[in-house]
Amino acid sequence: MSSEIIMYQTEDGLTKIETTFDNDTVWLFIDQMAELFQRDKSTISRHIKNIFNEGELIRNSVVAKFATTAADGKTYQVDYYNLDVIISVGYRVKSLRGTQFRIWASNVLKEYMRKGFALNDDLLKNNGGGIYGQAFYGVAEF
Protein backbone atom coordinates (compact mmCIF):
# COMPACT_ATOMS: atom_id res chain seq x y z
CA MET A 1 0.00 0.00 0.00
CA SER A 2 1.37 3.41 -0.90
CA SER A 3 0.35 6.26 1.35
CA GLU A 4 1.44 9.71 2.28
CA ILE A 5 0.92 11.82 5.37
CA ILE A 6 -1.09 15.00 5.16
CA MET A 7 -1.32 17.57 7.93
CA TYR A 8 -4.66 19.12 8.78
CA GLN A 9 -4.71 22.16 10.99
CA THR A 10 -7.49 24.27 12.42
CA GLU A 11 -7.42 27.97 11.61
CA ASP A 12 -6.37 28.88 15.17
CA GLY A 13 -3.53 26.33 14.97
CA LEU A 14 -4.63 24.57 18.17
CA THR A 15 -5.50 21.26 16.54
CA LYS A 16 -3.11 19.60 14.11
CA ILE A 17 -3.88 16.14 12.76
CA GLU A 18 -1.57 14.01 10.65
CA THR A 19 -3.69 11.86 8.39
CA THR A 20 -2.95 8.97 6.11
CA PHE A 21 -3.82 9.51 2.46
CA ASP A 22 -4.28 6.24 0.57
CA ASN A 23 -6.48 5.04 -2.28
CA ASP A 24 -7.73 8.57 -2.98
CA THR A 25 -9.07 9.18 0.50
CA VAL A 26 -8.03 10.38 3.93
CA TRP A 27 -7.96 7.93 6.87
CA LEU A 28 -8.17 8.68 10.60
CA PHE A 29 -8.49 6.40 13.61
CA ILE A 30 -10.84 7.14 16.51
CA ASP A 31 -8.24 8.95 18.64
CA GLN A 32 -7.54 11.35 15.78
CA MET A 33 -11.24 12.03 15.21
CA ALA A 34 -11.69 12.64 18.95
CA GLU A 35 -8.88 15.21 18.80
CA LEU A 36 -10.20 16.75 15.58
CA PHE A 37 -13.73 17.23 16.92
CA GLN A 38 -12.67 17.74 20.57
CA ARG A 39 -14.91 14.99 21.92
CA ASP A 40 -14.26 11.81 23.92
CA LYS A 41 -13.42 8.63 22.04
CA SER A 42 -16.64 7.12 23.39
CA THR A 43 -18.66 9.89 21.72
CA ILE A 44 -16.92 9.33 18.39
CA SER A 45 -17.39 5.55 18.74
CA ARG A 46 -21.10 6.00 19.42
CA HIS A 47 -21.51 8.18 16.31
CA ILE A 48 -19.63 5.65 14.16
CA LYS A 49 -21.74 2.80 15.53
CA ASN A 50 -24.93 4.74 14.72
CA ILE A 51 -23.67 5.55 11.21
CA PHE A 52 -23.33 1.81 10.52
CA ASN A 53 -26.52 0.77 12.39
CA GLU A 54 -28.60 3.32 10.47
CA GLY A 55 -27.20 2.12 7.14
CA GLU A 56 -25.66 5.49 6.26
CA LEU A 57 -22.40 3.73 5.38
CA ILE A 58 -21.37 0.09 4.96
CA ARG A 59 -18.56 -0.77 7.40
CA ASN A 60 -16.38 -2.92 5.15
CA SER A 61 -16.27 -0.25 2.43
CA VAL A 62 -15.11 2.59 4.71
CA VAL A 63 -12.91 0.89 7.35
CA ALA A 64 -9.38 -0.42 6.88
CA LYS A 65 -6.88 -1.92 9.29
CA PHE A 66 -3.45 -0.30 9.24
CA ALA A 67 -0.43 -1.29 11.32
CA THR A 68 0.26 1.33 13.98
CA THR A 69 3.15 1.45 16.41
CA ALA A 70 2.00 2.33 19.93
CA ALA A 71 3.90 4.13 22.68
CA ASP A 72 4.95 0.72 24.04
CA GLY A 73 6.82 0.04 20.79
CA LYS A 74 4.48 -2.77 19.75
CA THR A 75 2.69 -2.79 16.42
CA TYR A 76 -1.08 -3.17 16.42
CA GLN A 77 -3.70 -3.44 13.69
CA VAL A 78 -5.97 -0.43 14.17
CA ASP A 79 -9.27 0.44 12.50
CA TYR A 80 -8.96 3.54 10.35
CA TYR A 81 -12.01 5.28 8.95
CA ASN A 82 -12.09 6.98 5.58
CA LEU A 83 -13.27 10.47 4.64
CA ASP A 84 -16.89 9.32 4.32
CA VAL A 85 -16.94 8.36 7.99
CA ILE A 86 -15.06 11.51 9.06
CA ILE A 87 -17.61 13.68 7.26
CA SER A 88 -20.54 11.72 8.70
CA VAL A 89 -19.16 12.05 12.23
CA GLY A 90 -18.44 15.74 11.60
CA TYR A 91 -22.09 16.34 10.74
CA ARG A 92 -23.27 14.52 13.88
CA VAL A 93 -20.90 15.70 16.60
CA LYS A 94 -21.87 18.69 18.71
CA SER A 95 -18.80 20.77 19.47
CA LEU A 96 -17.19 24.02 18.36
CA ARG A 97 -14.77 22.00 16.20
CA GLY A 98 -17.70 20.08 14.73
CA THR A 99 -19.36 23.37 13.78
CA GLN A 100 -16.12 24.68 12.27
CA PHE A 101 -15.72 21.42 10.34
CA ARG A 102 -19.28 21.65 8.97
CA ILE A 103 -18.75 25.24 7.84
CA TRP A 104 -15.45 24.30 6.18
CA ALA A 105 -16.85 21.16 4.51
CA SER A 106 -19.94 23.01 3.26
CA ASN A 107 -17.80 25.81 1.80
CA VAL A 108 -15.53 23.31 0.01
CA LEU A 109 -18.57 21.50 -1.38
CA LYS A 110 -20.15 24.77 -2.55
CA GLU A 111 -16.90 25.82 -4.24
CA TYR A 112 -16.66 22.44 -5.95
CA MET A 113 -20.28 22.66 -7.12
CA ARG A 114 -19.74 26.17 -8.54
CA LYS A 115 -16.32 25.64 -10.14
CA GLY A 116 -16.01 21.87 -10.56
CA PHE A 117 -12.91 21.84 -8.34
CA ALA A 118 -11.68 23.16 -4.99
CA LEU A 119 -8.26 24.63 -4.22
CA ASN A 120 -6.44 25.64 -1.07
CA ASP A 121 -6.21 29.28 -2.16
CA ASP A 122 -4.11 30.37 0.84
CA LEU A 123 -1.46 27.74 0.10
CA LEU A 124 -1.32 28.83 -3.54
CA LYS A 125 -1.00 32.52 -2.60
CA ASN A 126 1.63 31.96 0.08
CA ASN A 127 3.84 29.51 -1.79
CA GLY A 128 3.50 30.58 -5.39
CA GLY A 129 3.15 28.19 -8.28
CA GLY A 130 6.18 26.04 -7.40
CA ILE A 131 4.19 23.53 -5.36
CA TYR A 132 0.84 23.73 -7.10
CA GLY A 133 -0.06 20.08 -6.41
CA GLN A 134 0.05 20.71 -2.66
CA ALA A 135 -2.86 23.12 -3.05
CA PHE A 136 -5.02 20.03 -3.34
CA TYR A 137 -3.32 17.85 -0.72
CA GLY A 138 -1.47 20.28 1.56
CA VAL A 139 -2.53 21.74 4.85
CA ALA A 140 -6.29 22.06 5.01
CA GLU A 141 -7.65 24.56 7.47
CA PHE A 142 -11.10 24.90 8.93
Side-chain angles (χ1 to χ4, degrees), residues 21-58:
F21 184 79
D22 187 59
N23 292 329
D24 296 327
T25 192
V26 172
W27 298 88
L28 294 177
F29 59 97
I30 286 180
D31 292 8
Q32 292 172 307
M33 278 193 269
E35 181 180 347
L36 177 64
F37 296 122
Q38 293 185 331
R39 284 291 172 247
D40 293 336
K41 289 180 355 181
S42 62
T43 299
I44 302 301
S45 273
R46 187 180 70 248
H47 285 307
I48 291 171
K49 181 181 175 198
N50 289 337
I51 288 164
F52 297 141
N53 286 344
E54 294 167 9
E56 182 177 341
L57 298 170
I58 307 301

Side-chain angles (χ1 to χ4, degrees), residues 42-123:
S42 62
T43 299
I44 302 301
S45 273
R46 187 180 70 248
H47 285 307
I48 291 171
K49 181 181 175 198
N50 289 337
I51 288 164
F52 297 141
N53 286 344
E54 294 167 9
E56 182 177 341
L57 298 170
I58 307 301
R59 181 177 175 75
N60 53 347
S61 65
V62 295
V63 179
K65 289 203 180 284
F66 294 141
T68 302
T69 303
D72 63 6
K74 295 180 182 176
T75 301
Y76 299 92
Q77 292 295 315
V78 176
D79 284 345
Y80 276 72
Y81 301 89
N82 79 2
L83 185 59
D84 295 331
V85 178
I86 299 164
I87 289 170
S88 294
V89 170
Y91 275 92
R92 289 170 180 250
V93 72
K94 292 183 181 11
S95 69
L96 175 60
R97 286 285 185 248
T99 300
Q100 291 170 334
F101 175 84
R102 289 187 290 277
I103 292 168
W104 172 79
S106 295
N107 286 336
V108 169
L109 181 59
K110 286 177 192 174
E111 182 176 359
Y112 184 81
M113 296 301 289
R114 281 195 312 270
K115 297 177 183 176
F117 60 90
L119 294 175
N120 184 331
D121 295 326
D122 290 335
L123 187 62

